[in-house]
Amino acid sequence: MLSLRGRGALLAVAAVAVPLHLGLSAGLAAASGGGKPGGGVTCPELVPDCDINAGGGGGGDNGEKPKPGGKPDAGGGGGSAKCFIEWDNIGEVPCYDADMGWFNPAGQCYWEILEPQPAKDAADWEWGTAAPATDAERAKGKVYNVTCPGAGRELMGGSTWSLNPPPGFGGGPTAEELAQEAIKKMRLLGADIGSAPKAGKTGLVGMPVWIWNNKAPRTWGPVTASASAPGITVTATANVKKVAYTMGDGGSEVCTTAGTPYEKRFGGQPSPDCGYRYTKTSNSLPGKAFTVTAITTWTVHWTGGGQEGDITTTREAEPAQITIGEAQAVAKP
């Protein structure tokens, strides 16, 4: 006989369980198999300077500049995936349970591989598993024990054959990995730096300097993209959290807004939300200008398959040049 393990699994439910098992197995036929999830994110094409943190608890900024294409800062933002059962208002549940296995958002049940697998000639192949009729076809997949928490859901559990693991199980793409794929599609950019004085013009020591990010979806957000795998679609939306400017003289400025573009009518006023003042000239520097760089921190919230989470990723801007001179008093005879 096929043994059933895990909470809520019943032997006497074959007639009820078959339709559910058939539906789940069909939806999972193309899911990827293998070992443990790979994780990790590579930079999108044409965007080589990126740094992604897709896990762990939140943390504070340490003031250090992320290294382009390097490893995520362990103290950065981000968050882990969350799993939910909507049935009977159960709410958030662990995405993995040692007794029940991996949570499958498609059916909001837990799946674990049945050990040992049934023998080829087991009589119970004839009912309740949704397995193919031939030994050769059965051998291509595995039998899982399915447990569906929640009052009234006990009859939904039992032994189920599936060609491939369900979403989130072992080597199948998790919702968080699909969110990372959605981020690649967004092609997020660093800030498009604007400044006053602008390139080719000269500002003065001690006078207000205005800096801003020329807003566009890929430089400020929001940007939305989706990624799918069998049985699950994840939609992610990215928005800029902050832009950290390094001003080229040893100083820096962190702006949580895009900044205000300068207009002549503002005269010598300081920027209301993103500005700076230099205390020395740029005359001694190559090109006689300060090189301004910027790191944009994007926050990405994703949902899909009954789960949600947050990912933090950064992008570098193309440098800008700001020339600063010194006013000189001219004595009149």
Side-chain angles (χ1 to χ4, degrees), residues 58-112:
D61 297 318
N62 59 13
E64 296 180 358
K65 177 182 176 182
K67 296 179 180 179
K71 294 181 180 180
D73 186 337
S80 58
K82 297 180 181 180
C83 297
F84 296 89
I85 294 179
E86 298 175 2
W87 181 272
D88 201 26
N89 296 319
I90 292 178
E92 185 175 351
V93 295
C95 292
Y96 175 79
D97 184 278
D99 294 327
M100 297 186 289
W102 297 88
F103 184 76
N104 174 12
Q108 298 183 20
C109 299
Y110 286 91
W111 287 51
E112 65 176 344

mmCIF file of all heavy atoms in Angstrom, residues 58-112:
data_model
loop_
_atom_site.group_PDB
_atom_site.id
_atom_site.type_symbol
_atom_site.label_atom_id
_atom_site.label_comp_id
_atom_site.label_asym_id
_atom_site.label_seq_id
_atom_site.Cartn_x
_atom_site.Cartn_y
_atom_site.Cartn_z
ATOM 1 N N GLY A 58 15.995 43.483 7.072
ATOM 2 C CA GLY A 58 16.357 44.848 6.723
ATOM 3 C C GLY A 58 17.551 45.308 7.511
ATOM 4 O O GLY A 58 17.939 44.743 8.517
ATOM 5 N N GLY A 59 18.151 46.380 7.074
ATOM 6 C CA GLY A 59 19.320 46.909 7.745
ATOM 7 C C GLY A 59 19.500 48.362 7.417
ATOM 8 O O GLY A 59 18.792 48.924 6.601
ATOM 9 N N GLY A 60 20.489 48.969 8.047
ATOM 10 C CA GLY A 60 20.714 50.382 7.805
ATOM 11 C C GLY A 60 21.790 50.603 6.785
ATOM 12 O O GLY A 60 22.523 49.713 6.405
ATOM 13 N N ASP A 61 21.897 51.838 6.336
ATOM 14 C CA ASP A 61 22.949 52.201 5.397
ATOM 15 C C ASP A 61 24.246 52.396 6.154
ATOM 16 O O ASP A 61 24.265 52.935 7.257
ATOM 17 C CB ASP A 61 22.581 53.491 4.663
ATOM 18 C CG ASP A 61 21.327 53.314 3.836
ATOM 19 O OD1 ASP A 61 21.194 52.269 3.184
ATOM 20 O OD2 ASP A 61 20.496 54.231 3.868
ATOM 21 N N ASN A 62 25.349 51.990 5.551
ATOM 22 C CA ASN A 62 26.622 52.172 6.219
ATOM 23 C C ASN A 62 27.474 53.242 5.570
ATOM 24 O O ASN A 62 28.617 53.447 5.951
ATOM 25 C CB ASN A 62 27.392 50.842 6.278
ATOM 26 C CG ASN A 62 27.651 50.266 4.895
ATOM 27 O OD1 ASN A 62 27.471 50.965 3.901
ATOM 28 N ND2 ASN A 62 28.059 49.007 4.853
ATOM 29 N N GLY A 63 26.907 53.919 4.557
ATOM 30 C CA GLY A 63 27.618 55.021 3.944
ATOM 31 C C GLY A 63 28.635 54.607 2.916
ATOM 32 O O GLY A 63 29.243 55.447 2.276
ATOM 33 N N GLU A 64 28.857 53.294 2.749
ATOM 34 C CA GLU A 64 29.837 52.845 1.777
ATOM 35 C C GLU A 64 29.223 52.748 0.394
ATOM 36 O O GLU A 64 28.081 52.365 0.233
ATOM 37 C CB GLU A 64 30.391 51.479 2.196
ATOM 38 C CG GLU A 64 31.162 51.517 3.497
ATOM 39 C CD GLU A 64 31.696 50.148 3.863
ATOM 40 O OE1 GLU A 64 31.414 49.191 3.119
ATOM 41 O OE2 GLU A 64 32.383 50.051 4.883
ATOM 42 N N LYS A 65 30.024 53.055 -0.601
ATOM 43 C CA LYS A 65 29.551 52.998 -1.978
ATOM 44 C C LYS A 65 29.535 51.551 -2.456
ATOM 45 O O LYS A 65 30.525 50.848 -2.345
ATOM 46 C CB LYS A 65 30.487 53.826 -2.865
ATOM 47 C CG LYS A 65 30.136 53.773 -4.354
ATOM 48 C CD LYS A 65 31.131 54.560 -5.140
ATOM 49 C CE LYS A 65 30.890 54.466 -6.622
ATOM 50 N NZ LYS A 65 31.884 55.201 -7.410
ATOM 51 N N PRO A 66 28.373 51.050 -2.962
ATOM 52 C CA PRO A 66 28.335 49.683 -3.483
ATOM 53 C C PRO A 66 29.311 49.515 -4.633
ATOM 54 O O PRO A 66 29.529 50.416 -5.428
ATOM 55 C CB PRO A 66 26.887 49.537 -3.961
ATOM 56 C CG PRO A 66 26.131 50.593 -3.225
ATOM 57 C CD PRO A 66 27.098 51.718 -3.032
ATOM 58 N N LYS A 67 29.905 48.362 -4.722
ATOM 59 C CA LYS A 67 30.834 48.080 -5.810
ATOM 60 C C LYS A 67 30.058 47.611 -7.032
ATOM 61 O O LYS A 67 29.245 46.700 -6.924
ATOM 62 C CB LYS A 67 31.837 47.012 -5.375
ATOM 63 C CG LYS A 67 32.730 47.457 -4.215
ATOM 64 C CD LYS A 67 33.688 46.356 -3.818
ATOM 65 C CE LYS A 67 34.565 46.802 -2.660
ATOM 66 N NZ LYS A 67 35.504 45.731 -2.239
ATOM 67 N N PRO A 68 30.282 48.219 -8.192
ATOM 68 C CA PRO A 68 29.556 47.812 -9.393
ATOM 69 C C PRO A 68 29.725 46.330 -9.669
ATOM 70 O O PRO A 68 30.836 45.820 -9.727
ATOM 71 C CB PRO A 68 30.217 48.658 -10.501
ATOM 72 C CG PRO A 68 30.811 49.831 -9.778
ATOM 73 C CD PRO A 68 31.237 49.299 -8.451
ATOM 74 N N GLY A 69 28.587 45.641 -9.819
ATOM 75 C CA GLY A 69 28.623 44.238 -10.155
ATOM 76 C C GLY A 69 29.107 43.350 -9.028
ATOM 77 O O GLY A 69 29.278 42.152 -9.212
ATOM 78 N N GLY A 70 29.345 43.896 -7.836
ATOM 79 C CA GLY A 70 29.868 43.104 -6.734
ATOM 80 C C GLY A 70 28.776 42.406 -5.958
ATOM 81 O O GLY A 70 27.618 42.367 -6.354
ATOM 82 N N LYS A 71 29.159 41.843 -4.818
ATOM 83 C CA LYS A 71 28.179 41.138 -3.993
ATOM 84 C C LYS A 71 27.309 42.142 -3.249
ATOM 85 O O LYS A 71 27.738 43.236 -2.928
ATOM 86 C CB LYS A 71 28.898 40.233 -2.994
ATOM 87 C CG LYS A 71 29.660 39.099 -3.659
ATOM 88 C CD LYS A 71 30.318 38.222 -2.621
ATOM 89 C CE LYS A 71 31.079 37.080 -3.268
ATOM 90 N NZ LYS A 71 31.722 36.210 -2.266
ATOM 91 N N PRO A 72 26.064 41.746 -2.914
ATOM 92 C CA PRO A 72 25.197 42.637 -2.161
ATOM 93 C C PRO A 72 25.786 42.939 -0.792
ATOM 94 O O PRO A 72 26.440 42.098 -0.185
ATOM 95 C CB PRO A 72 23.893 41.820 -2.019
ATOM 96 C CG PRO A 72 23.970 40.797 -3.101
ATOM 97 C CD PRO A 72 25.422 40.501 -3.289
ATOM 98 N N ASP A 73 25.517 44.132 -0.319
ATOM 99 C CA ASP A 73 25.934 44.528 1.009
ATOM 100 C C ASP A 73 25.078 43.782 2.015
ATOM 101 O O ASP A 73 23.859 43.849 1.977
ATOM 102 C CB ASP A 73 25.747 46.044 1.171
ATOM 103 C CG ASP A 73 26.296 46.553 2.497
ATOM 104 O OD1 ASP A 73 26.415 45.769 3.453
ATOM 105 O OD2 ASP A 73 26.582 47.745 2.562
ATOM 106 N N ALA A 74 25.703 43.081 2.959
ATOM 107 C CA ALA A 74 24.951 42.277 3.904
ATOM 108 C C ALA A 74 24.031 43.120 4.761
ATOM 109 O O ALA A 74 23.055 42.627 5.315
ATOM 110 C CB ALA A 74 25.917 41.479 4.796
ATOM 111 N N GLY A 75 24.308 44.417 4.897
ATOM 112 C CA GLY A 75 23.467 45.268 5.723
ATOM 113 C C GLY A 75 22.405 45.988 4.938
ATOM 114 O O GLY A 75 21.711 46.829 5.471
ATOM 115 N N GLY A 76 22.260 45.668 3.672
ATOM 116 C CA GLY A 76 21.312 46.387 2.837
ATOM 117 C C GLY A 76 19.876 45.991 3.103
ATOM 118 O O GLY A 76 19.570 45.184 3.965
ATOM 119 N N GLY A 77 18.963 46.533 2.289
ATOM 120 C CA GLY A 77 17.553 46.254 2.462
ATOM 121 C C GLY A 77 17.198 44.912 1.898
ATOM 122 O O GLY A 77 17.999 44.015 1.774
ATOM 123 N N GLY A 78 15.944 44.771 1.498
ATOM 124 C CA GLY A 78 15.492 43.509 0.932
ATOM 125 C C GLY A 78 14.534 42.823 1.873
ATOM 126 O O GLY A 78 14.035 43.387 2.823
ATOM 127 N N GLY A 79 14.272 41.559 1.653
ATOM 128 C CA GLY A 79 13.376 40.809 2.499
ATOM 129 C C GLY A 79 13.166 39.441 1.904
ATOM 130 O O GLY A 79 13.453 39.202 0.749
ATOM 131 N N SER A 80 12.703 38.514 2.724
ATOM 132 C CA SER A 80 12.491 37.160 2.256
ATOM 133 C C SER A 80 11.063 36.987 1.777
ATOM 134 O O SER A 80 10.172 37.771 2.089
ATOM 135 C CB SER A 80 12.794 36.178 3.389
ATOM 136 O OG SER A 80 11.983 36.453 4.516
ATOM 137 N N ALA A 81 10.832 35.905 1.018
ATOM 138 C CA ALA A 81 9.509 35.636 0.480
ATOM 139 C C ALA A 81 8.541 35.277 1.602
ATOM 140 O O ALA A 81 8.935 34.788 2.656
ATOM 141 C CB ALA A 81 9.599 34.508 -0.528
ATOM 142 N N LYS A 82 7.283 35.511 1.368
ATOM 143 C CA LYS A 82 6.239 35.165 2.316
ATOM 144 C C LYS A 82 5.198 34.297 1.615
ATOM 145 O O LYS A 82 4.933 34.473 0.441
ATOM 146 C CB LYS A 82 5.577 36.430 2.880
ATOM 147 C CG LYS A 82 6.522 37.320 3.675
ATOM 148 C CD LYS A 82 5.800 38.542 4.205
ATOM 149 C CE LYS A 82 6.754 39.445 4.984
ATOM 150 N NZ LYS A 82 6.071 40.660 5.506
ATOM 151 N N CYS A 83 4.644 33.354 2.358
ATOM 152 C CA CYS A 83 3.639 32.452 1.809
ATOM 153 C C CYS A 83 2.341 32.618 2.582
ATOM 154 O O CYS A 83 2.358 32.859 3.794
ATOM 155 C CB CYS A 83 4.123 31.005 1.893
ATOM 156 S SG CYS A 83 5.610 30.685 0.921
ATOM 157 N N PHE A 84 1.220 32.489 1.872
ATOM 158 C CA PHE A 84 -0.082 32.725 2.477
ATOM 159 C C PHE A 84 -1.075 31.642 2.081
ATOM 160 O O PHE A 84 -1.037 31.128 0.959
ATOM 161 C CB PHE A 84 -0.643 34.084 2.039
ATOM 162 C CG PHE A 84 0.173 35.264 2.495
ATOM 163 C CD1 PHE A 84 1.206 35.755 1.713
ATOM 164 C CD2 PHE A 84 -0.078 35.879 3.715
ATOM 165 C CE1 PHE A 84 1.962 36.833 2.115
ATOM 166 C CE2 PHE A 84 0.678 36.957 4.132
ATOM 167 C CZ PHE A 84 1.698 37.444 3.341
ATOM 168 N N ILE A 85 -1.971 31.310 3.013
ATOM 169 C CA ILE A 85 -3.121 30.455 2.729
ATOM 170 C C ILE A 85 -4.368 31.298 2.930
ATOM 171 O O ILE A 85 -4.610 31.827 4.032
ATOM 172 C CB ILE A 85 -3.156 29.217 3.644
ATOM 173 C CG1 ILE A 85 -1.964 28.309 3.348
ATOM 174 C CG2 ILE A 85 -4.469 28.449 3.469
ATOM 175 C CD1 ILE A 85 -1.891 27.069 4.218
ATOM 176 N N GLU A 86 -5.126 31.450 1.865
ATOM 177 C CA GLU A 86 -6.319 32.287 1.929
ATOM 178 C C GLU A 86 -7.500 31.569 2.576
ATOM 179 O O GLU A 86 -8.425 32.195 3.063
ATOM 180 C CB GLU A 86 -6.697 32.737 0.512
ATOM 181 C CG GLU A 86 -5.612 33.593 -0.148
ATOM 182 C CD GLU A 86 -5.942 33.942 -1.581
ATOM 183 O OE1 GLU A 86 -7.028 33.545 -2.054
ATOM 184 O OE2 GLU A 86 -5.122 34.606 -2.244
ATOM 185 N N TRP A 87 -7.456 30.258 2.582
ATOM 186 C CA TRP A 87 -8.558 29.459 3.117
ATOM 187 C C TRP A 87 -8.767 29.747 4.604
ATOM 188 O O TRP A 87 -7.839 29.727 5.400
ATOM 189 C CB TRP A 87 -8.265 27.973 2.910
ATOM 190 C CG TRP A 87 -9.354 27.047 3.395
ATOM 191 C CD1 TRP A 87 -9.505 26.536 4.635
ATOM 192 C CD2 TRP A 87 -10.439 26.540 2.617
ATOM 193 N NE1 TRP A 87 -10.602 25.735 4.710
ATOM 194 C CE2 TRP A 87 -11.214 25.712 3.466
ATOM 195 C CE3 TRP A 87 -10.839 26.702 1.292
ATOM 196 C CZ2 TRP A 87 -12.351 25.056 3.029
ATOM 197 C CZ3 TRP A 87 -11.968 26.042 0.860
ATOM 198 C CH2 TRP A 87 -12.715 25.238 1.719
ATOM 199 N N ASP A 88 -10.019 30.024 4.980
ATOM 200 C CA ASP A 88 -10.401 30.184 6.377
ATOM 201 C C ASP A 88 -9.556 31.237 7.105
ATOM 202 O O ASP A 88 -9.327 31.147 8.311
ATOM 203 C CB ASP A 88 -10.281 28.832 7.100
ATOM 204 C CG ASP A 88 -11.119 28.775 8.382
ATOM 205 O OD1 ASP A 88 -12.125 29.507 8.461
ATOM 206 O OD2 ASP A 88 -10.749 28.026 9.300
ATOM 207 N N ASN A 89 -9.065 32.236 6.318
ATOM 208 C CA ASN A 89 -8.286 33.331 6.901
ATOM 209 C C ASN A 89 -7.061 32.855 7.686
ATOM 210 O O ASN A 89 -6.686 33.450 8.697
ATOM 211 C CB ASN A 89 -9.177 34.198 7.819
ATOM 212 C CG ASN A 89 -10.279 34.893 7.058
ATOM 213 O OD1 ASN A 89 -10.066 35.396 5.970
ATOM 214 N ND2 ASN A 89 -11.482 34.901 7.635
ATOM 215 N N ILE A 90 -6.432 31.775 7.201
ATOM 216 C CA ILE A 90 -5.239 31.281 7.886
ATOM 217 C C ILE A 90 -4.126 32.312 7.821
ATOM 218 O O ILE A 90 -3.417 32.564 8.784
ATOM 219 C CB ILE A 90 -4.786 29.937 7.273
ATOM 220 C CG1 ILE A 90 -5.820 28.852 7.603
ATOM 221 C CG2 ILE A 90 -3.409 29.535 7.809
ATOM 222 C CD1 ILE A 90 -5.502 27.506 7.002
ATOM 223 N N GLY A 91 -3.936 32.915 6.645
ATOM 224 C CA GLY A 91 -2.939 33.965 6.516
ATOM 225 C C GLY A 91 -1.537 33.437 6.254
ATOM 226 O O GLY A 91 -1.355 32.409 5.595
ATOM 227 N N GLU A 92 -0.522 34.128 6.796
ATOM 228 C CA GLU A 92 0.863 33.782 6.494
ATOM 229 C C GLU A 92 1.257 32.458 7.127
ATOM 230 O O GLU A 92 0.914 32.171 8.290
ATOM 231 C CB GLU A 92 1.804 34.883 6.979
ATOM 232 C CG GLU A 92 3.261 34.653 6.597
ATOM 233 C CD GLU A 92 4.161 35.812 6.978
ATOM 234 O OE1 GLU A 92 3.635 36.870 7.388
ATOM 235 O OE2 GLU A 92 5.400 35.652 6.862
ATOM 236 N N VAL A 93 1.984 31.647 6.355
ATOM 237 C CA VAL A 93 2.477 30.348 6.830
ATOM 238 C C VAL A 93 3.932 30.207 6.401
ATOM 239 O O VAL A 93 4.393 30.915 5.501
ATOM 240 C CB VAL A 93 1.645 29.181 6.234
ATOM 241 C CG1 VAL A 93 0.200 29.232 6.734
ATOM 242 C CG2 VAL A 93 1.686 29.197 4.712
ATOM 243 N N PRO A 94 4.688 29.285 7.013
ATOM 244 C CA PRO A 94 6.073 29.062 6.567
ATOM 245 C C PRO A 94 6.102 28.554 5.132
ATOM 246 O O PRO A 94 5.252 27.763 4.731
ATOM 247 C CB PRO A 94 6.595 28.001 7.547
ATOM 248 C CG PRO A 94 5.662 28.042 8.716
ATOM 249 C CD PRO A 94 4.332 28.454 8.178
ATOM 250 N N CYS A 95 7.084 28.993 4.361
ATOM 251 C CA CYS A 95 7.216 28.496 2.993
ATOM 252 C C CYS A 95 7.810 27.090 2.970
ATOM 253 O O CYS A 95 7.738 26.403 1.951
ATOM 254 C CB CYS A 95 8.077 29.453 2.162
ATOM 255 S SG CYS A 95 7.269 31.053 1.859
ATOM 256 N N TYR A 96 8.392 26.668 4.080
ATOM 257 C CA TYR A 96 8.855 25.291 4.213
ATOM 258 C C TYR A 96 8.549 24.803 5.614
ATOM 259 O O TYR A 96 8.767 25.520 6.598
ATOM 260 C CB TYR A 96 10.354 25.172 3.951
ATOM 261 C CG TYR A 96 10.875 23.765 4.200
ATOM 262 C CD1 TYR A 96 10.684 22.774 3.246
ATOM 263 C CD2 TYR A 96 11.506 23.444 5.393
ATOM 264 C CE1 TYR A 96 11.121 21.474 3.471
ATOM 265 C CE2 TYR A 96 11.953 22.148 5.626
ATOM 266 C CZ TYR A 96 11.754 21.170 4.665
ATOM 267 O OH TYR A 96 12.179 19.887 4.902
ATOM 268 N N ASP A 97 8.017 23.610 5.719
ATOM 269 C CA ASP A 97 7.709 22.987 6.995
ATOM 270 C C ASP A 97 8.400 21.629 7.045
ATOM 271 O O ASP A 97 8.278 20.828 6.104
ATOM 272 C CB ASP A 97 6.195 22.816 7.157
ATOM 273 C CG ASP A 97 5.824 22.254 8.524
ATOM 274 O OD1 ASP A 97 5.910 21.017 8.682
ATOM 275 O OD2 ASP A 97 5.436 23.028 9.413
ATOM 276 N N ALA A 98 9.116 21.360 8.120
ATOM 277 C CA ALA A 98 9.895 20.125 8.206
ATOM 278 C C ALA A 98 9.025 18.880 8.131
ATOM 279 O O ALA A 98 9.471 17.825 7.673
ATOM 280 C CB ALA A 98 10.709 20.120 9.504
ATOM 281 N N ASP A 99 7.777 18.960 8.588
ATOM 282 C CA ASP A 99 6.887 17.803 8.576
ATOM 283 C C ASP A 99 6.113 17.671 7.275
ATOM 284 O O ASP A 99 5.806 16.559 6.836
ATOM 285 C CB ASP A 99 5.889 17.889 9.733
ATOM 286 C CG ASP A 99 6.571 17.777 11.082
ATOM 287 O OD1 ASP A 99 7.580 17.045 11.166
ATOM 288 O OD2 ASP A 99 6.107 18.421 12.038
ATOM 289 N N MET A 100 5.781 18.805 6.638
ATOM 290 C CA MET A 100 4.897 18.770 5.470
ATOM 291 C C MET A 100 5.603 19.040 4.155
ATOM 292 O O MET A 100 5.080 18.712 3.098
ATOM 293 C CB MET A 100 3.759 19.782 5.658
ATOM 294 C CG MET A 100 2.854 19.472 6.839
ATOM 295 S SD MET A 100 1.421 20.591 6.947
ATOM 296 C CE MET A 100 2.230 22.109 7.441
ATOM 297 N N GLY A 101 6.781 19.672 4.183
ATOM 298 C CA GLY A 101 7.508 19.920 2.951
ATOM 299 C C GLY A 101 7.409 21.350 2.469
ATOM 300 O O GLY A 101 7.282 22.288 3.259
ATOM 301 N N TRP A 102 7.434 21.527 1.138
ATOM 302 C CA TRP A 102 7.481 22.842 0.495
ATOM 303 C C TRP A 102 6.085 23.328 0.153
ATOM 304 O O TRP A 102 5.240 22.572 -0.325
ATOM 305 C CB TRP A 102 8.309 22.781 -0.782
ATOM 306 C CG TRP A 102 9.739 22.429 -0.556
ATOM 307 C CD1 TRP A 102 10.282 21.176 -0.508
ATOM 308 C CD2 TRP A 102 10.816 23.325 -0.343
ATOM 309 N NE1 TRP A 102 11.628 21.242 -0.282
ATOM 310 C CE2 TRP A 102 11.984 22.543 -0.174
ATOM 311 C CE3 TRP A 102 10.912 24.711 -0.283
ATOM 312 C CZ2 TRP A 102 13.232 23.105 0.048
ATOM 313 C CZ3 TRP A 102 12.156 25.275 -0.068
ATOM 314 C CH2 TRP A 102 13.297 24.482 0.100
ATOM 315 N N PHE A 103 5.850 24.616 0.368
ATOM 316 C CA PHE A 103 4.552 25.206 0.083
ATOM 317 C C PHE A 103 4.398 25.454 -1.410
ATOM 318 O O PHE A 103 5.258 26.055 -2.048
ATOM 319 C CB PHE A 103 4.413 26.541 0.836
ATOM 320 C CG PHE A 103 3.070 27.190 0.688
ATOM 321 C CD1 PHE A 103 1.975 26.710 1.384
ATOM 322 C CD2 PHE A 103 2.898 28.285 -0.140
ATOM 323 C CE1 PHE A 103 0.739 27.315 1.267
ATOM 324 C CE2 PHE A 103 1.666 28.900 -0.280
ATOM 325 C CZ PHE A 103 0.580 28.407 0.436
ATOM 326 N N ASN A 104 3.293 24.972 -1.966
ATOM 327 C CA ASN A 104 2.974 25.182 -3.378
ATOM 328 C C ASN A 104 1.873 26.234 -3.481
ATOM 329 O O ASN A 104 0.719 25.964 -3.133
ATOM 330 C CB ASN A 104 2.508 23.867 -4.002
ATOM 331 C CG ASN A 104 2.026 24.037 -5.437
ATOM 332 O OD1 ASN A 104 2.233 25.085 -6.040
ATOM 333 N ND2 ASN A 104 1.362 23.021 -5.967
ATOM 334 N N PRO A 105 2.198 27.438 -3.924
ATOM 335 C CA PRO A 105 1.190 28.504 -3.960
ATOM 336 C C PRO A 105 0.044 28.229 -4.921
ATOM 337 O O PRO A 105 -1.031 28.801 -4.773
ATOM 338 C CB PRO A 105 1.993 29.729 -4.390
ATOM 339 C CG PRO A 105 3.186 29.185 -5.098
ATOM 340 C CD PRO A 105 3.510 27.909 -4.409
ATOM 341 N N ALA A 106 0.263 27.367 -5.922
ATOM 342 C CA ALA A 106 -0.796 27.103 -6.893
ATOM 343 C C ALA A 106 -2.016 26.478 -6.236
ATOM 344 O O ALA A 106 -3.152 26.788 -6.579
ATOM 345 C CB ALA A 106 -0.271 26.199 -8.004
ATOM 346 N N GLY A 107 -1.807 25.570 -5.282
ATOM 347 C CA GLY A 107 -2.937 24.948 -4.586
ATOM 348 C C GLY A 107 -2.988 25.288 -3.120
ATOM 349 O O GLY A 107 -3.878 24.849 -2.397
ATOM 350 N N GLN A 108 -1.994 26.075 -2.641
ATOM 351 C CA GLN A 108 -1.879 26.461 -1.241
ATOM 352 C C GLN A 108 -1.823 25.233 -0.334
ATOM 353 O O GLN A 108 -2.482 25.156 0.709
ATOM 354 C CB GLN A 108 -3.026 27.399 -0.848
ATOM 355 C CG GLN A 108 -3.006 28.691 -1.639
ATOM 356 C CD GLN A 108 -4.084 29.681 -1.231
ATOM 357 O OE1 GLN A 108 -4.621 29.587 -0.125
ATOM 358 N NE2 GLN A 108 -4.390 30.621 -2.095
ATOM 359 N N CYS A 109 -1.023 24.248 -0.760
ATOM 360 C CA CYS A 109 -0.786 23.024 -0.009
ATOM 361 C C CYS A 109 0.718 22.781 0.079
ATOM 362 O O CYS A 109 1.505 23.375 -0.663
ATOM 363 C CB CYS A 109 -1.459 21.826 -0.697
ATOM 364 S SG CYS A 109 -3.264 21.951 -0.854
ATOM 365 N N TYR A 110 1.106 21.891 0.991
ATOM 366 C CA TYR A 110 2.506 21.506 1.136
ATOM 367 C C TYR A 110 2.769 20.197 0.400
ATOM 368 O O TYR A 110 1.954 19.284 0.417
ATOM 369 C CB TYR A 110 2.858 21.346 2.614
ATOM 370 C CG TYR A 110 2.998 22.648 3.352
ATOM 371 C CD1 TYR A 110 1.902 23.225 4.002
ATOM 372 C CD2 TYR A 110 4.209 23.322 3.401
ATOM 373 C CE1 TYR A 110 2.027 24.427 4.685
ATOM 374 C CE2 TYR A 110 4.346 24.527 4.077
ATOM 375 C CZ TYR A 110 3.244 25.070 4.711
ATOM 376 O OH TYR A 110 3.369 26.264 5.384
ATOM 377 N N TRP A 111 3.940 20.132 -0.241
ATOM 378 C CA TRP A 111 4.345 18.949 -1.000
ATOM 379 C C TRP A 111 5.683 18.439 -0.480
ATOM 380 O O TRP A 111 6.609 19.229 -0.264
ATOM 381 C CB TRP A 111 4.505 19.280 -2.481
ATOM 382 C CG TRP A 111 3.228 19.504 -3.233
ATOM 383 C CD1 TRP A 111 2.200 20.331 -2.905
ATOM 384 C CD2 TRP A 111 2.871 18.897 -4.471
ATOM 385 N NE1 TRP A 111 1.215 20.281 -3.849
ATOM 386 C CE2 TRP A 111 1.601 19.404 -4.836
ATOM 387 C CE3 TRP A 111 3.498 17.989 -5.322
ATOM 388 C CZ2 TRP A 111 0.947 19.029 -5.999
ATOM 389 C CZ3 TRP A 111 2.851 17.611 -6.483
ATOM 390 C CH2 TRP A 111 1.575 18.126 -6.815
ATOM 391 N N GLU A 112 5.791 17.116 -0.301
ATOM 392 C CA GLU A 112 7.068 16.488 -0.015
ATOM 393 C C GLU A 112 7.126 15.147 -0.736
ATOM 394 O O GLU A 112 6.106 14.486 -0.947
ATOM 395 C CB GLU A 112 7.289 16.305 1.482
ATOM 396 C CG GLU A 112 6.324 15.362 2.155
ATOM 397 C CD GLU A 112 6.645 15.144 3.626
ATOM 398 O OE1 GLU A 112 7.771 15.479 4.034
ATOM 399 O OE2 GLU A 112 5.781 14.630 4.356
#
